[in-house]
Amino acid sequence: MMVQPYKHEPFTDFAVEANKKAFEEGLKTVQAYLGQDYPLVIGGERIMTEDKIVSINPANQTEIIGRVAKANKDLAEKAMQAADAAFTWWSKTKPEMRANILFRAAAIVRRRKHEFSALLVKEAGKPWKEADADTAEAIDFMEYYARQMLKLKDGIPVESRPGETNRFFYIPLGVGVVISPWNFPFAIMAGTTVAALVTGNTVLLKPASATPVVAYKFVEVLEEAGLPAGVLNYIPGSGAEVGDYLVDHPRTRFISFTGSRDVGIRIYERAAKVHPGQIWLKRVIAEMGGKDTIVVDKEADLELAAQSIVASAFGFSGQKCSACSRVVALEEVYDQVLNRVVELTKQLKVGNPEEQSTFMGPVIDQSAYNKIMEYIEIGKQEGKLMTGGEGDDSKGFFIQPTVFADVDPKARIMQEEIFGPVVAFTKAKDFDHALEIANNTEYGLTGAVISNNRFNLEKAREEFHVGNLYFNRGCTGAIVGYHPFGGFNMSGTDSKAGGPDYLLLHMQAKTVSEMF
Ligand code: NAD
């Protein structure tokens, strides 16, 4: 099967009037379907429940995006049975057929691109640019993983001796539980789901409770693209109830989780326990938190450093696992970088993400708002507040972009994931010291070095211990197929999403040797 070579989906240029208009149309389309009820999808059947998850607009708490049916243990069990039954035949379908479903789904999403992005503006509070990037990434995952599956379908050649033929190839695992976060409610939800599907597994999808509507819309797209009933089951619900039940279930073969460190650890530990009737060791793919650092060398483009810090710290209100939450600057340039970052931060427009000019919208919900505001109070004890520090949750969950200076590298705001628009600065006496500070958290997701010194860049290449390291740019914005993404240590199992070996995590290898 011949396909066009993979290229990432281009970002939309909103300076072009036609694109701006198209996005505004997308917002209108979404506005017209706000507040609807959405069912579970189990074995192709639509099931409505009394109990609902209410998805709201984080920029305007009174606006309801949708009311989504909520699974409980019984419904999770029903979904498991549907997925288990579907696995018997879905696992035997041709990889080409499965890849074609992804290609078609990508085409459908591309045709409705701005509608999906507009839904992300409403449901997750993403500004236009961030929403557009999330949708583009979802398309990329489908295009990329479909091609990867076509590459892997015949296995990898191994040696054979005279009179013998050996084959080495990959088969699917079984039922996968996909648990996704709200911060890339389209891209990560879609990417983790389609990776499991295209490799021949069946899926129980439990999206984040803050963003279940976009996940439902995606399930509809896959159905339209020809995904048969039972292969993907949509079961939003409480992490503690449905999540634990399915993680413990003896028929669960693997869990693909993206979210916080604490929930990731809980899943990893629970999945290790073998339950009665279970005949395998579960596999866990866990992509967890980050505490990501930008290092600024003394020989560096300082304007580039400041721009990179501001974009990486405050894009989507700092709610990215890759967001820059720590800056380590060499003492010779510390004040200059800090002052420029403060100056740029003060210019950022915070407000309604529906307006094109907004750089930063709200944070996701009340508990995120409360947690971030608590960290800002801690930051006031641990460092010098340079700008921001204010919040307003009267209508939406808005927090000003916040910069702290002169923070000890071991301080809490330097060590713990805040997941909000807060960045802390610390000073290093030389480049080795800067790397030592950069490596002193329990995480290891992303990092960046701004430097013109080639020796220092090469040193960082070896010694800066993160899964995604960037030179002379910010530390966010990984692109599928170009920057395979995943972290070390407590950032997870280093399962590189959007990379050439990601699909293998969803399969097991089989060797067949025949003598003639
Ligand atoms: P979260 O851990 O609170 O929730 C993630 C998902 O886990 C949700 O669907 C939630 O309902 C579910 N969950 C909660 N308790 C569960 C349980 N006991 N069993 C099973 N599932 C359970 O994370 P979040 O707030 O949605 O997302 C933000 C976090 O995700 C941050 O820590 C961020 O760094 C991380 N993240 C990591 C990556 C990455 O690639 N490494 C990408 C995006 C986000």
Side-chain angles (χ1 to χ4, degrees), residues 179-184 188 206-209 237-244 247 257-261 263-264 266-267 270 287-290 320-322 417 419 445 485-487 491:
I179 302 174
S180 55
W182 51 263
N183 73 327
F184 281 87
I188 293 181
K206 198 210 84 57
S209 299
S238 135
E241 188 184 353
V242 171
D244 282 352
V247 167
F257 166 80
T258 312
S260 62
R261 170 194 178 279
V263 175
R266 181 189 177 90
I267 289 174
R270 291 185 84 109
E287 291 296 328
M288 294 146 50
K320 298 183 189 177
C321 49
S322 55
E417 190 183 45
F419 222 57
L445 192 49
F485 188 82
S491 292

Side-chain angles (χ1 to χ4, degrees), residues 107-318:
I108 294 167
V109 173
R110 200 177 277 113
R111 286 193 280 273
R112 291 169 54 191
K113 193 171 175 177
H114 299 311
E115 177 206 329
F116 268 101
S117 301
L119 181 53
L120 297 172
V121 171
K122 287 281 196 184
E123 193 171 35
K126 292 208 169 196
W128 288 27
K129 202 172 142 239
E130 301 284 342
D132 183 61
D134 196 335
T135 305
E137 191 176 352
I139 294 170
D140 287 346
F141 277 130
M142 290 185 264
E143 295 281 359
Y144 183 76
Y145 290 147
R147 286 171 175 79
Q148 288 299 315
M149 190 62 227
L150 296 177
K151 280 191 187 147
L152 286 170
K153 69 184 172 58
D154 298 322
I156 296 176
V158 290
E159 305 305 327
S160 297
R161 293 170 296 193
E164 174 193 67
T165 299
N166 299 326
R167 272 201 65 209
F168 176 78
F169 55 97
Y170 297 97
I171 62 170
L173 287 173
V175 177
V177 178
V178 173
I179 302 174
S180 55
W182 51 263
N183 73 327
F184 281 87
F186 193 9
I188 293 181
M189 178 274 305
T192 49
T193 299
V194 301
L197 294 175
V198 78
T199 42
N201 304 289
T202 53
V203 168
L204 304 176
L205 168 62
K206 198 210 84 57
S209 299
T211 54
V213 175
V214 63
Y216 182 84
K217 294 277 172 191
F218 181 60
V219 171
E220 283 184 332
V221 166
L222 286 172
E223 288 175 337
E224 187 185 338
L227 191 73
V231 174
L232 171 60
N233 300 277
Y234 170 77
I235 45 165
S238 135
E241 188 184 353
V242 171
D244 282 352
Y245 182 77
L246 291 174
V247 167
D248 295 346
H249 202 290
R251 297 299 299 164
T252 293
R253 184 63 185 81
F254 69 101
I255 299 139
S256 176
F257 166 80
T258 312
S260 62
R261 170 194 178 279
D262 291 355
V263 175
I265 290 175
R266 181 189 177 90
I267 289 174
Y268 194 72
E269 286 176 354
R270 291 185 84 109
K273 169 122 184 65
V274 176
H275 292 269
Q278 184 180 327
I279 56 163
W280 46 61
L281 301 175
K282 288 170 193 165
R283 218 180 261 184
V284 177
I285 302 168
E287 291 296 328
M288 294 146 50
K291 191 70 193 168
D292 311 303
T293 309
I294 296 186
V295 169
V296 187
D297 200 357
K298 64 180 177 190
E299 299 158 70
D301 177 340
L302 300 186
E303 181 59 22
L304 172 69
Q307 301 275 356
S308 304
I309 291 163
V310 170
S312 304
F314 303 128
F316 189 38
S317 311

Side-chain angles (χ1 to χ4, degrees), residues 461-472:
R461 190 190 301 275
E462 287 189 8
E463 292 177 17
F464 196 158
H465 195 58
V466 291
N468 284 65
L469 179 60
Y470 301 104
F471 292 161
N472 290 316

